[in-house]
């Protein structure tokens, strides 16, 4: 595996547990996916359906940080 192909993902079990905790605490989990040479970055929600009976949201083309902030802002609007 080339150095640029390496990534630092958490284990599947840890991700599931963290997701459950964040949904309970914040009402959602935001997952961010970094862009590649052939795919734009994107972020999506998990938990809006369970917490607020609202469809999940995805946004494309923003930095990971901005995509995360946008989804959190939209979740706050849904909550209110």
């Amino acid at each position: 595996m080339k150095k640029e192909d390496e990534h630092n993902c958490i284990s599947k079990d840890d991700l599931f547990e963290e997701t459950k905790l964040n949904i309970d605490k914040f009402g959602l989990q935001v997952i961010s996916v970094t862009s590649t040479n052939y795919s734009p970055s994107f972020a999506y929600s998990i938990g809006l359906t369970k917490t607020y009976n609202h469809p999940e949201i995805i946004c494309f083309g923003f930095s990971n940080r901005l995509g995360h902030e946008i989804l959190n802002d939209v979740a706050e609007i849904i909550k209110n």
Side-chain angles (χ1 to χ4, degrees):
M1 178 182 272
K2 294 180 186 177
K3 183 85 169 159
E4 64 267 10
D5 292 334
E6 293 179 16
H7 51 82
N8 296 314
C9 294
I10 65 175
S11 75
K12 189 186 297 185
D13 290 338
D14 289 344
L15 178 60
F16 287 146
E17 186 60 33
E18 183 179 313
T19 298
K20 288 181 207 174
L21 292 172
N22 284 337
I23 291 170
D24 290 343
K25 184 174 182 177
F26 302 111
L28 79 156
Q29 168 74 46
V30 175
I31 303 293
S32 298
V33 179
T34 304
S35 65
T36 65
N37 291 345
Y38 56 89
S39 175
S41 60
F42 62 97
Y44 61 95
S45 66
I46 301 172
L48 293 177
T49 302
K50 177 184 179 224
T51 306
Y52 304 113
N53 196 30
H54 189 280
E56 302 300 333
I57 299 171
I58 187 168
C59 61
F60 295 90
F62 298 104
S63 68
N64 287 351
R65 190 180 115 262
L66 182 57
H68 194 134
E69 289 174 4
I70 289 169
L71 292 180
N72 282 334
D73 288 347
V74 170
E76 189 65 28
I77 291 168
I78 293 165
K79 178 181 174 181
N80 293 327

